[in-house]
Amino acid sequence: MSVNRTRVTRVLGTSVRYLTRAEYTARRRLDRIDRFPRTRVPGFEEAYAVRSGVQVGVRESRRVVGDHQLTGHDILAARSFPDVVAHGAYPVDIHNPRGTGRVLRRVPEGGFYDIPLRCLLPRGDRAAAGGGALRLRDARAHSSYRVMPVAMATGQAAGVCAALTVRHGHGSRGLPYRLVQRELLRQGARLRLGQAEGT
C-alpha cells in the first residue's frame, strides 16, 4: 500500500532551520501513519513502513521570472504557443499554505497546455536558460507546472537550448526556437507542433 501523506506548512524552503524542523515534524508524523493501519485496519496487524521519501520536498520557494509568464488562464484554456518546448496537463492543484484545504481545477479532458521557450529564459539574463521545476509568479500556473514530468521536459528543453547556444555561438535569445524544437524531436521528446498558435 502506498500512502501519500504528511504535509508540513509554514516552512521557508531556503532556510536550513525551517527545513530541519520540517524533517523532524514529517518523521514524527510518519510514525503515526505507520501505526494507524496496524491498530485500525483489519488485516494490517503485521504491516510496517518499508520506505519513505529521503527528505521533505519543497513545493515552492524562490521564483525565476522568465521572459514570458504562464497564467492559470493559459493552463485551464489549454493554450498553445508557437515556441512550445514542452507540454503539461496536470491540474491546477493549490494546497492551502496555512493548513487544510485545496483547489483542484482540471485542464480540459484530453487537452494539454504548451510551455513556450520564453518561460525558460530568465528576464534580464542574456545567456542562461532555466529548466526543471521553474517558478512562476502566477500561483495557479505554478501549481500545475511544478510537477516532475513537466520539470523533466523543461529541463531537457533548457539543456538543448544551452547546447545549441554554445554550438551556434550566440545568446539563447538569438536562438531560433525552431532549432530547439527540431533537436527535442530528434531526441525523442513528445512535442506536438502546429496547434492553434497564441502569442
Side-chain angles (χ1 to χ4, degrees):
M1 178 174 72
S2 175
V3 179
N4 186 3
R5 271 323 283 163
T6 72
R7 185 163 168 240
V8 183
T9 58
R10 298 180 182 164
V11 174
L12 182 60
T14 57
S15 163
V16 171
R17 179 176 293 182
Y18 276 87
L19 289 171
T20 301
R21 181 176 62 81
E23 289 281 353
Y24 175 79
T25 303
R27 297 292 171 196
R28 290 194 56 145
R29 290 179 183 170
L30 177 61
D31 183 56
R32 287 187 294 206
I33 291 166
D34 180 46
R35 198 172 336 126
F36 179 84
R38 282 197 307 274
T39 59
R40 304 282 181 95
V41 181
F44 279 80
E45 293 81 9
E46 302 295 321
Y48 58 93
V50 174
R51 67 174 173 242
S52 71
V54 293
Q55 67 185 54
V56 294
V58 178
R59 184 171 291 265
E60 202 171 331
S61 64
R62 293 186 176 114
R63 296 181 180 182
V64 171
V65 178
D67 284 350
H68 179 80
Q69 291 285 300
L70 281 181
T71 66
H73 175 73
D74 293 334
I75 285 168
L76 294 174
R79 189 157 180 213
S80 298
F81 295 92
D83 58 335
V84 56
V85 291
H87 302 298
Y90 194 75
V92 168
D93 181 16
I94 302 174
H95 293 242
N96 181 352
R98 291 185 171 82
T100 61
R102 77 194 264 212
V103 173
L104 186 69
R105 295 189 61 201
R106 299 193 182 283
V107 175
E109 189 170 338
F112 56 88
Y113 57 90
D114 289 351
I115 299 162
L117 179 60
R118 291 166 287 156
C119 284
L120 309 184
L121 304 176
R123 195 175 292 168
D125 190 324
R126 292 180 175 258
L134 295 175
R135 313 296 183 203
L136 299 175
R137 284 189 296 187
D138 186 304
R140 291 190 313 158
H142 175 70
S143 73
S144 171
Y145 194 87
R146 67 175 175 76
V147 296
M148 283 186 245
V150 175
M152 292 187 320
T154 58
Q156 180 181 9
V160 164
C161 184
L164 291 175
T165 296
V166 170
R167 184 182 302 162
H168 293 280
H170 49 67
S172 54
R173 280 173 181 74
L175 188 67
Y177 66 81
R178 293 192 192 285
L179 283 179
V180 177
Q181 292 170 336
R182 190 177 310 135
E183 179 59 20
L184 285 168
L185 290 169
R186 190 192 70 74
Q187 291 182 9
R190 294 182 59 95
L191 195 60
R192 192 177 311 172
L193 306 176
Q195 302 294 303
E197 293 186 349
T199 55

